[in-house]
């Protein structure tokens, strides 16, 4: 960014949508950007999903707050849709500067602890990394790819350090922030305890990664987590699709208006994917990894490969739940047609 001042750089990150201000935070390919939202309320400012921690994003927040005329201590709450590093990451850092309360669901805070907290236990071993490797091995990942997993998974830890102190959002109870009354709606499948925040009076929703425009949110079969994540995700789409949403503010890409229609498209996408997987099983039992390579090719980097495999497992489990596939083997799992 030669020749640009800090303020010009941060300017390109800020977009105002009425009373909603979006600040974009940089993250890894293919998503590239995460959306944070800044809202003013009676008791101060709220930041929704501050983004993944990196020196660039810390500088970006300094620049953005400066430009918006907000002091860190004016921030009274940090609200998190879910525990993924691209949303949760900077919440501890921002809490230290602002002394704001950090709000998330109980299930999301437990998932955060399982994924990021266990690495900091005194044993020095990271249970989440070990369990992730075991899961990928069980589902047929090649040894060369398995060997890439520890560095890949440990690479997330600096993005979520320090961990915030969490205040739990009570399920079903409305929560007030940013001068509005929001209904938290918990849906699973993408991340345990994911919350969307819906304002009934206006039909506005802050939907995190539960529904995204143009991209299908990753369905995550993760160690120690939901064992039927696609089932949870599809149920969540039906719940969210029934709301009278007029405008959605997602965790990635731009705000959009066709939210109910988008939930229907995503439901259809997953039915098509299930049918395609069933076809791929016609030649005989195959591991989730083999199915994953057939669907997504073998040139994915380890980051995308892990997401693709996790999503493939989620679909195969759903086929099994629907009585359309069956599982063979214990030490190396394969799926076949029923
Ligand atoms: Zn996410
Ligand atoms: Zn995300």
């Amino acid at each position: 960014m030669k020749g640009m001042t800090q303020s010009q750089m941060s300017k390109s990150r800020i977009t105002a949508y009425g009373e909603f201000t979006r600040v974009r935070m940089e993250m890894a390919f293919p998503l590239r950007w995460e959306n944070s939202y800044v809202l003013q309320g009676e008791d101060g400012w709220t930041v929704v999903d501050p983004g993944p921690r990196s020196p660039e994003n810390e500088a970006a927040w300094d620049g953005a707050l400066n430009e918006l005329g907000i002091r860190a201590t004016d921030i009274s709450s940090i609200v998190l849709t879910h525990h993924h590093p691209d949303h949760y990451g900077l919440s501890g850092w921002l809490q230290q500067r602002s002394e704001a309360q950090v709000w998330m669901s109980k299930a999301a805070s437990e998932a955060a602890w399982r994924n990021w907290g266990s690495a900091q236990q005194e044993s020095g071993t990271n249970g989440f990394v070990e369990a992730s490797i075991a899961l990928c091995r069980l589902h047929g990942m090649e040894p060369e790819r398995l060997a890439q997993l520890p560095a890949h998974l440990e690479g997330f830890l600096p993005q979520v350090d320090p961990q915030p102190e969490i205040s739990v959002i009570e399920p079903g109870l409305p929560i007030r922030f940013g001068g509005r009354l929001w209904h938290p709606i918990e849906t699973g499948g993408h991340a345990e305890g994911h919350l969307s925040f819906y304002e009934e009076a206006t039909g506005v929703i802050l939907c995190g990664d539960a529904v995204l425009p143009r991209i299908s949110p990753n369905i995550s079969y993760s160690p120690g987590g939901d064992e039927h994540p696609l089932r949870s995700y599809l149920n969540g789409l039906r719940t969210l699709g029934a709301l009278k949403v007029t405008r959605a503010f997602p965790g990635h890409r731009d705000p959009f208006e066709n939210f109910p229609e988008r939930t229907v498209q995503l439901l259809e996408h997953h039915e098509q994917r299930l049918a395609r997987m069933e076809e791929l099983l016609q030649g005989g039992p195959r591991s989730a990894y083999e199915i994953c390579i057939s669907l997504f090719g073998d040139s994915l980097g380890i980051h995308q490969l892990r997401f693709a495999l996790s999503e493939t497992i989620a679909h195969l489990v759903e086929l099994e739940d629907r009585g359309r596939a069956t599982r063979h083997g214990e030490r190396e799992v394969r799926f076949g047609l029923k």
Side-chain angles (χ1 to χ4, degrees):
M1 290 269 183
K2 234 180 179 174
M4 279 182 101
T5 64
Q6 187 64 41
S7 150
Q8 281 168 324
M9 279 173 66
S10 66
K11 210 166 230 163
S12 64
R13 296 169 179 277
I14 298 176
T15 320
Y17 300 91
E19 291 166 10
F20 292 74
T21 302
R22 177 180 70 171
V23 183
R24 294 197 305 168
M25 290 291 133
E26 284 178 48
M27 64 176 290
F29 180 81
L31 293 171
R32 289 286 293 122
W33 298 100
E34 184 270 346
N35 295 330
S36 297
Y37 297 98
V38 180
L39 291 160
Q40 189 171 25
E42 306 87 353
D43 303 328
W45 291 84
T46 295
V47 173
V48 179
D49 289 351
R53 188 170 185 196
S54 67
E56 295 74 25
N57 285 342
E58 287 174 30
W61 269 117
D62 285 339
L65 291 177
N66 192 27
E67 198 176 317
L68 294 165
I70 303 172
R71 289 170 302 180
T73 49
D74 295 335
I75 301 170
S76 55
S77 56
I78 298 163
V79 175
L80 301 172
T81 57
H82 63 300
H83 72 283
H84 289 163
D86 53 327
H87 300 254
Y88 166 90
L90 276 162
S91 58
W93 175 83
L94 198 56
Q95 184 177 47
Q96 285 184 348
R97 313 188 119 208
S98 61
E99 294 181 19
Q101 273 182 287
V102 175
W103 295 93
M104 75 195 304
S105 74
K106 185 165 187 286
S109 73
E110 286 166 358
W113 174 251
R114 203 163 55 237
N115 292 19
W116 324 123
S118 60
Q120 289 161 7
Q121 285 169 2
E122 282 174 15
S123 66
T125 58
N126 185 327
F128 178 68
V129 169
E130 285 170 11
S132 299
I133 296 168
L135 179 74
C136 291
R137 184 184 291 120
L138 182 71
H139 286 284
M141 187 182 270
E142 294 163 336
E144 313 82 84
R145 300 299 236 152
L146 287 172
Q148 297 174 324
L149 281 171
H152 159 66
L153 291 163
E154 279 157 15
F156 288 114
L157 296 174
Q159 296 180 22
V160 297
D161 184 61
Q163 306 281 326
E165 208 174 288
I166 297 293
S167 302
V168 168
I169 296 175
E170 291 297 327
L173 286 185
I175 173 172
R176 192 163 180 87
F177 62 82
R180 294 160 186 258
L181 189 68
W182 301 93
H183 290 274
I185 298 160
E186 188 167 330
T187 57
H190 174 72
E192 280 100 38
H194 184 294
L195 291 178
S196 298
F197 298 94
Y198 175 58
E199 190 190 32
E200 215 164 19
T202 58
V204 165
I205 194 165
L206 292 157
C207 56
D209 287 353
V211 179
L212 295 172
R214 304 213 307 279
I215 334 165
S216 171
N218 177 247
I219 309 304
S220 164
Y221 187 98
S222 171
D226 185 349
E227 289 183 15
H228 305 270
L230 183 58
R231 173 63 51 100
S232 304
Y233 185 70
L234 299 177
N235 287 338
L237 282 178
R238 292 185 193 101
T239 303
L240 292 167
L243 302 172
K244 293 186 172 55
V245 171
T246 54
R247 190 168 215 197
F249 290 93
H252 305 276
R253 308 290 176 99
D254 292 328
F256 59 108
E257 270 87 47
N258 63 335
F259 184 88
E261 191 187 327
R262 185 68 191 132
T263 63
V264 173
Q265 289 169 359
L266 288 167
L267 283 164
E268 283 167 1
H269 162 78
H270 288 292
E271 291 306 321
Q272 284 163 8
R273 175 62 56 76
L274 288 167
R276 176 80 187 107
M277 286 199 187
E278 209 171 7
E279 268 172 39
L280 289 169
L281 294 177
Q282 275 167 6
R286 300 174 76 189
S287 71
Y289 185 70
E290 288 169 322
I291 297 286
C292 173
I293 298 298
S294 298
L295 279 168
F296 302 102
D298 59 2
S299 58
L300 294 180
I302 190 66
H303 178 86
Q304 283 181 274
L305 178 64
R306 186 173 67 95
F307 282 114
L309 179 58
S310 157
E311 176 141 351
T312 305
I313 299 168
H315 278 85
L316 289 165
V317 166
E318 177 66 11
L319 280 179
E320 201 183 5
D321 288 345
R322 294 188 187 187
R324 286 159 64 181
T326 184
R327 177 187 298 238
H328 307 274
E330 275 176 19
R331 292 183 57 187
E332 276 181 46
V333 172
R334 300 176 141 255
F335 291 85
L337 291 181
K338 192 108 185 181

